[in-house]
Amino acid sequence: QKEVEQNSGPLSVPEGAIASLNCTYSDRGSQSFFWYRQYSGKSPELIMFIYSNGDKEDGRFTAQLNKASQYVSLLIRDSQPSDSATYLCAVNPTGNQFYFGTGTSLTVIP
Amino acid sequence: KAGVTQTPRYLIKTRGQQVTLSCSPISGHRSVSWYQQTPGQGLQFLFEYFSETQRNKGNFPGRFSGRQFSNSRSEMNVSTLELGDSALYLCASCRQDMNTEAFFGQGTRLTVV
């Protein structure tokens, strides 16, 4: 079993719609959770992090964490074509070691 | 504020050679970690350094090694290169010693022929 699992997609949504990205993790001791966006040929860039159960909003992005279910999600509201990228879920079990999912490819259709 | 700087950006090496990659973290960040990214395996953790000490190591063979200097700059070395080592190598820097966000450099694209 992989430490972090994501649906690889591809996920396609029309412009203006809500994109929902999901992630599950196996290490119950994990304390911090991150979402990164990676454009083709570029390095990952941090979108959001979340430490506590519940929702955390930042602009058009909302991260949701449910530690009991070992589940993290990212909602992107009013999706734009520029949001088209691969979204990586990362879990930090110890120190600054991160386990990454294989990513979900998102395409926003104009 | 400068970001994470990795050099070189691109490398082509022959099987059996060795290679050294360099990473300069964001000023003030003391933690540096390294990742290998391939299309099939995604981002895989290699090792992490904090204050010149290797704290965590991923599941890679001993051919992969690294070190961190007193100015927090880090190097990773891969000896006896194999074709399968072709990948994007990413360095990430963190501000604190744990539970903090990682900021990535642009990566070094290594091709082994």
Side-chain angles (χ1 to χ4, degrees):
Chain A
Q1 181 190 6
K2 290 189 175 181
E3 290 86 358
V4 181
E5 304 245 21
Q6 290 181 258
N7 187 332
S8 62
L11 174 65
S12 294
V13 300
E15 184 174 354
I18 295 175
S20 177
L21 306 164
N22 305 314
C23 169
T24 58
Y25 60 94
S26 61
D27 187 339
R28 283 195 170 275
S30 298
Q31 296 295 315
S32 46
F33 308 86
F34 304 82
W35 283 99
Y36 285 84
R37 175 175 62 196
Q38 187 172 27
Y39 293 110
S40 180
K42 302 292 186 182
S43 61
E45 57 178 324
L46 180 69
I47 300 174
M48 290 190 68
F49 57 89
I50 186 167
Y51 300 140
S52 304
N53 276 328
D55 295 359
K56 179 181 178 182
E57 187 173 317
D58 184 359
R60 296 187 295 112
F61 300 94
T62 299
Q64 300 173 317
L65 173 61
N66 184 326
K67 289 186 178 181
S69 300
Q70 295 174 246
Y71 175 89
V72 191
S73 67
L74 180 70
L75 299 177
I76 306 174
R77 291 182 301 280
D78 188 24
S79 295
Q80 302 296 309
S82 58
D83 294 327
S84 298
T86 296
Y87 288 80
L88 301 166
C89 171
V91 173
N92 174 214
T94 182
N96 288 318
Q97 174 181 351
F98 294 81
Y99 290 124
F100 283 84
T102 52
T104 298
S105 175
L106 171 66
T107 300
V108 180
I109 304 167
Chain B
K1 194 173 188 180
V4 181
T5 304
Q6 290 188 245
T7 57
R9 291 292 309 278
Y10 302 93
L11 267 178
I12 299 176
K13 289 287 189 179
T14 304
R15 195 170 46 180
Q17 287 186 311
Q18 76 166 19
V19 66
T20 299
L21 311 181
S22 179
C23 171
S24 293
I26 293 170
S27 178
H29 287 201
R30 294 162 59 193
S31 170
V32 173
S33 51
W34 289 88
Y35 294 83
Q36 180 195 67
Q37 187 173 34
T38 58
Q41 298 295 319
L43 268 160
Q44 292 189 287
F45 172 76
L46 282 156
F47 26 67
E48 184 225 346
Y49 288 87
F50 183 80
S51 294
E52 301 179 66
T53 300
Q54 185 181 92
R55 294 201 298 181
N56 297 294
K57 190 175 192 303
N59 189 24
F60 278 82
R63 300 185 296 107
F64 291 82
S65 63
R67 58 178 175 170
Q68 186 180 33
F69 302 96
S70 58
N71 62 358
S72 295
R73 189 178 71 84
S74 178
E75 289 181 346
M76 69 163 280
N77 184 276
V78 188
S79 62
T80 319
L81 284 165
E82 300 177 359
L83 297 178
D85 296 333
S86 295
L88 179 65
Y89 289 88
L90 291 160
C91 164
S93 109
C94 296
R95 177 170 44 88
Q96 298 172 174
D97 66 337
M98 62 182 299
N99 291 334
T100 186
E101 56 270 36
F103 298 93
F104 285 87
Q106 292 304 302
T108 294
R109 173 73 63 183
L110 172 65
T111 302
V112 182
V113 297

